[in-house]
Amino acid sequence: DPALAQQEEDLYTRGLVDLIRQHRPDILLAGATSLGRSFIPRVAAILETGLTAGCTALEIAPESKLLLQTRPTYGGNLIATIICPEKRPQMVTVRPHAFKRGELDELRQGEVIRVDFDKESVTSRTKILHLLEDLTERVKLEEADIIICGGRGLGKAENFQMIAELAEVLHAALGSSRPPVDDGWIPYSHQVGQTGKTVSPKLYIACGVSGAPQHLAGMQTSEIVIAINEDPQAPIFEVATYGIVGDLFKIVPMLTAKLKQIRS
Ligand SMILES: Cc1cc2nc3c(=O)[nH]c(=O)nc-3n(C[C@H](O)[C@H](O)[C@H](O)COP(=O)(O)OP(=O)(O)OC[C@H]3O[C@@H](n4cnc5c(N)ncnc54)[C@H](O)[C@@H]3O)c2cc1C
């Protein structure tokens, strides 16, 4: 419906609440995207049911058949498994890329039911005036096959240019740990981790990132991780496929120059 083309949360909320009341599902799964994070809690509040936001694992309990909803908590220091035994639906949002994409199984067919949206019955309290594009994001972080991530080890905003050059040669997206975002070196849309984006690229190159649990929560399903860090004890090496112990200000330009040479 054209009325739903833009992110109108009041309309989405009312539409989904009506559908849930009509179809009475046992479980409702949604993406913990900016849209899901924004309107799914409103749906749960109206239905007076529980919601576990930002799950990283889901399972059905063998006996009770309840949905086991697992997510990091207390700043990533604990992993909690939560159940919603009484209220329905059991609602969760799931972090994008927290799960590897499954193989297509032609035998398992779902039924798609198309429903009409009655926009006359709802009024939106918000109005979108205009949308701004993030001009710093050349390759979308969530969709990138390769991500070059900079951490506090870069030292200052200007040094992001050095890893941006490496990203350009590899057609990679630029990621960041939280401190550079907090210090205003790079916009929030680049942040990887518990309070940023969850990514799962084929190759993740972490430059000057220590590997705090809150950062690992956002990138540990990457296929190959290369860590460049001068501290051999840095926790990032525990999840790295390949580790380079050394000064990133020497290693990154060498890598960029070598790749440029190979490409030309
Ligand atoms: C509730 C909560 C949520 C959080 N969410 C996030 C999140 O979403 N994402 C996130 O990233 N963090 C998050 N954090 C912060 C997290 O705890 C860490 O503080 C952060 O990840 C550290 O970032 P860093 O690795 O860039 O910096 P540091 O931990 O300071 O590490 C910098 C690294 O650079 C290395 N280094 C320095 N100079 C060089 C050099 N010249 N060459 C090579 N290596 C060098 C150092 O050895 C060090 O290992 C969160 C924290 C909390 C409490």
Side-chain angles (χ1 to χ4, degrees):
D1 191 300
L4 299 172
Q6 281 201 321
Q7 187 165 331
E8 294 273 10
E9 279 136 35
D10 280 343
L11 304 187
Y12 290 4
T13 303
R14 179 48 60 191
L16 189 55
V17 165
D18 288 349
L19 280 177
I20 291 171
R21 287 194 169 137
Q22 195 184 335
H23 293 277
R24 304 194 157 276
D26 231 19
I27 293 173
L28 186 126
L29 309 175
T33 55
S34 47
L35 174 61
R37 286 185 203 208
S38 164
F39 91 98
I40 295 294
R42 300 172 195 224
V43 173
I46 293 174
L47 296 170
E48 295 184 358
T49 184
L51 165 70
T52 306
C55 285
T56 51
L58 297 173
E59 236 181 298
I60 298 287
E63 291 194 359
S64 64
K65 303 290 178 214
L66 287 171
L67 180 65
L68 305 177
Q69 311 156 19
T70 301
R71 56 153 296 157
T73 186
Y74 289 109
N77 292 316
L78 276 183
I79 300 290
T81 297
I82 296 160
I83 53 168
C84 179
E86 280 154 28
K87 301 287 185 134
R88 290 293 176 272
Q90 303 163 82
M91 288 182 61
V92 301
T93 58
V94 177
R95 298 198 123 214
H97 303 289
F99 292 86
K100 289 235 179 276
R101 191 187 288 261
E103 293 293 319
L104 178 67
D105 180 352
E106 300 277 1
L107 297 174
R108 299 175 72 185
Q109 296 280 341
E111 186 194 356
V112 177
I113 305 170
R114 301 214 173 266
V115 285
D116 289 328
F117 176 66
D118 176 16
K119 63 173 177 289
E120 304 308 325
S121 65
V122 203
T123 43
S124 180
R125 290 167 297 176
T126 54
K127 190 170 161 196
I128 294 176
L129 300 179
H130 58 270
L131 299 168
L132 293 177
E133 197 185 340
D134 178 359
L135 296 174
T136 61
E137 200 175 29
R138 289 195 189 160
V139 184
K140 268 203 164 303
L141 205 56
E142 305 94 311
E143 292 160 15
D145 280 341
I146 306 176
I147 293 174
I148 316 294
C149 177
R152 183 152 40 198
L154 280 173
K156 55 181 177 182
E158 294 72 39
N159 292 336
F160 257 94
Q161 187 50 36
M162 185 180 67
I163 62 163
E165 275 176 40
L166 177 58
E168 188 146 350
V169 188
L170 289 170
H171 305 297
L174 206 52
S176 174
S177 64
R178 181 160 147 176
V181 173
D182 287 348
D183 288 347
W185 301 353
I186 186 163
Y188 169 71
S189 58
H190 295 263
Q191 185 180 317
V192 172
Q194 190 190 317
T195 42
K197 288 178 179 159
T198 305
V199 295
S200 195
K202 291 188 177 141
L203 174 62
Y204 189 88
I205 306 183
C207 311
V209 175
S210 61
Q214 296 86 358
H215 186 78
L216 301 186
M219 47 65 72
Q220 59 197 357
T221 56
S222 305
E223 275 178 38
I224 295 176
V225 176
I226 299 179
I228 305 171
N229 197 306
E230 62 184 5
D231 174 9
Q233 306 301 328
I236 189 79
F237 288 124
E238 285 166 29
V239 298
T241 324
Y242 304 101
I244 304 174
V245 179
D247 183 0
L248 69 91
F249 294 102
K250 290 190 184 140
I251 294 160
V252 173
M254 268 163 53
L255 204 55
T256 310
K258 191 74 193 165
L259 286 164
K260 273 187 184 161
Q261 196 190 347
I262 294 169
R263 293 255 149 132
S264 60

